[in-house]
Amino acid sequence: MTMVRKGILAFAVSTALGLSSVARADVLIGVAGPHTGPNAAFGEQYWRGASQAAADINAAGGINGEPIKLVKGDDACEPKQAVAVANRLVDQEKVAAVIGHFCSSSTIPASEVYDEAGILTITPGSTNPQVTERGLSAMFRMCGRDDQQGQVAADFIVDSLKGKRVAVIHDKDTYGQGIADSARAQLSKRGVAAVLYEGLTRGEKDFNALVTKLRGANVDVVYFGGLHTEAGPLLRQMREQGLTASFVSGDGIVTDELVTTAGGPKYVKGTFMTFGADPRKIPEGQALVGKLRASGYEPEGYTLYAYASLQALAAAFNAVGKTDSEKASQWLKSHPVATVMGTKEWDAKGDLKASDYVIYEWDDQGKYHQR
């Protein structure tokens, strides 16, 4: 073979390899949330769900023939850290889209970064109304809103628990106070004024003074807006002081870690919470649930929400033929998407057109069940 032909062949091979590498370039998707810290249980749910979705979507051809690669962003549910994570995902990682964040107080500031960069974002679990009320064109959620969730909780307190002397407690955070205020407003509409409205601080563990106030107010129901990290100790101290009032909360306690933070199943027995209809029982998700359980993981909480979020991103990018966030966002607002949680549709704000909040109750084995 002549030197010229060898040169031509080498050029052809290198060009082919180069084109191949371009054709198989990874589609980077950020998965942002509390992967460390006291709320890491929710970050684990996100990561497990998104990882399984990426594996399954890649096996079916990926996004426009290119494989999905997930990039973890740990915000520890701290707003400033969330902004730093968002900037890293955009500027350094060059992600095409983001699944996240979890805490609304992190999602709201981080989403400003994604919006400025034109990055499509779907949060599996941020429920504060302001997430989608700021006119961001590429911000979506796979869950409902606190003004929907709080109403369901308040109606349950009035209609089923027959609550008359209700205390509304929150953790002073965007999510916790937001959902507490929503429940309080609906209670007021139903003719039940909160006899105590008070905030506690995230990270606190000693709530005995608050429990004393609750006992002094002779409450029959305590509504708590916040996360399991504070709900657990509050529950335990209520029961240890003999306060038998019903305890109602939201989707911030949808994790088995509630049992740990409370000190055992006996303290969570009879606790109520709002959450979407159990996604593990939806027909479209049965094969996935079986696969995850076979691997030794129970897909609780937001696991399937994260999986469905990646399904929606992939469907949109595949439909428009490229990772164009603007076109994909427009597509999502006008097309239904089949997910493991059933068919989902979004309105012009990026909210689901239908939410399905229901009541769950924790049993004496430390498990929660839909009522």
Side-chain angles (χ1 to χ4, degrees):
M1 183 180 294
T2 66
M3 291 298 294
V4 172
R5 291 187 63 190
K6 286 182 178 179
I8 293 173
L9 179 61
F11 174 79
V13 170
S14 64
T15 300
L17 288 173
L19 290 174
S20 175
S21 65
V22 170
R24 296 294 293 174
D26 293 335
V27 177
L28 301 180
I29 306 291
V31 181
H35 297 293
T36 61
N39 299 303
F42 295 108
E44 175 73 1
Q45 293 170 13
Y46 272 28
W47 188 253
R48 290 273 193 162
S51 295
Q52 188 61 60
D56 293 343
I57 294 170
N58 284 342
I63 292 178
N64 297 313
E66 298 176 343
I68 297 168
K69 180 180 178 181
L70 301 181
V71 180
K72 186 178 290 188
D74 178 23
D75 66 17
C77 268
E78 294 291 342
K80 290 183 179 179
Q81 189 167 326
V83 171
V85 164
N87 280 307
R88 176 176 65 82
L89 291 176
V90 170
D91 296 331
Q92 298 178 29
E93 304 293 352
K94 308 295 184 184
V95 297
V98 173
I99 296 171
H101 294 222
F102 176 70
C103 289
S104 294
S105 55
S106 292
T107 299
I108 290 172
S111 63
E112 300 285 348
V113 176
Y114 303 134
D115 181 67
E116 184 177 346
I119 299 295
L120 176 57
T121 306
I122 301 182
T123 173
S126 291
T127 51
N128 187 273
Q130 286 303 307
V131 169
T132 50
E133 288 289 346
R134 293 164 297 140
L136 306 187
S137 63
M139 182 74 237
F140 295 79
R141 55 177 136 210
M142 189 58 70
C143 55
R145 297 164 48 122
D146 289 336
D147 44 5
Q148 300 164 334
Q149 187 174 186
Q151 179 177 332
V152 170
D155 288 342
F156 173 73
I157 289 170
V158 175
D159 297 331
S160 297
L161 299 182
K162 309 299 181 184
K164 301 297 183 184
R165 299 187 61 79
V166 181
V168 177
I169 310 299
H170 61 83
D171 65 359
K172 303 177 186 176
D173 186 72
T174 304
Y175 161 73
Q177 186 164 356
I179 192 172
D181 287 347
S182 173
R184 184 187 184 196
Q186 180 65 12
L187 285 169
S188 181
K189 289 181 181 178
R190 297 295 306 274
V192 178
V195 297
L196 183 65
Y197 175 76
E198 190 159 325
L200 52 80
T201 302
R202 277 191 181 181
E204 286 185 6
K205 299 301 178 187
D206 184 355
F207 302 120
N208 284 300
L210 174 58
V211 174
T212 298
K213 286 186 180 181
L214 293 170
R215 293 180 63 192
N218 194 31
V219 300
D220 53 16
V221 179
V222 173
Y223 181 82
F224 176 66
L227 304 176
H228 68 285
T229 42
E230 287 71 44
L234 177 57
L235 260 171
R236 183 182 70 250
Q237 290 163 45
M238 283 173 54
R239 301 313 181 213
E240 288 176 343
Q241 288 197 34
L243 183 57
T244 60
S246 297
F247 191 92
V248 184
S249 192
D251 56 350
I253 68 169
V254 185
T255 168
D256 290 342
E257 289 294 314
L258 175 67
V259 180
T260 302
T261 60
K266 67 179 181 179
Y267 294 112
V268 303
K269 177 185 177 183
T271 294
F272 301 101
M273 66 184 181
T274 47
F275 190 48
D278 195 341
R280 296 171 295 185
K281 296 182 179 180
I282 296 174
E284 290 90 336
Q286 290 307 294
L288 172 62
V289 170
K291 181 189 296 186
L292 290 170
R293 285 175 173 166
S295 72
Y297 179 73
E298 178 59 36
E300 66 165 346
Y302 285 99
T303 304
L304 301 189
Y305 287 73
Y307 188 106
S309 295
L310 188 50
Q311 284 184 303
L313 290 174
F317 285 143
N318 279 324
V320 302
K322 53 185 176 180
T323 52
D324 184 319
S325 285
E326 182 179 356
K327 290 183 177 179
S329 297
Q330 294 171 353
W331 186 89
L332 281 173
K333 292 174 182 177
S334 57
H335 294 82
V337 176
T339 78
V340 292
M341 294 177 58
T343 299
K344 300 296 182 182
E345 296 182 79
W346 292 267
D347 63 20
K349 294 180 180 178
D351 285 320
L352 289 173
K353 289 186 176 180
S355 66
D356 57 354
Y357 284 115
V358 295
I359 299 294
Y360 289 76
E361 183 175 1
W362 289 77
D363 63 22
D364 58 1
Q365 301 299 308
K367 301 297 180 182
Y368 56 85
H369 307 276
Q370 185 175 324
R371 281 173 59 91

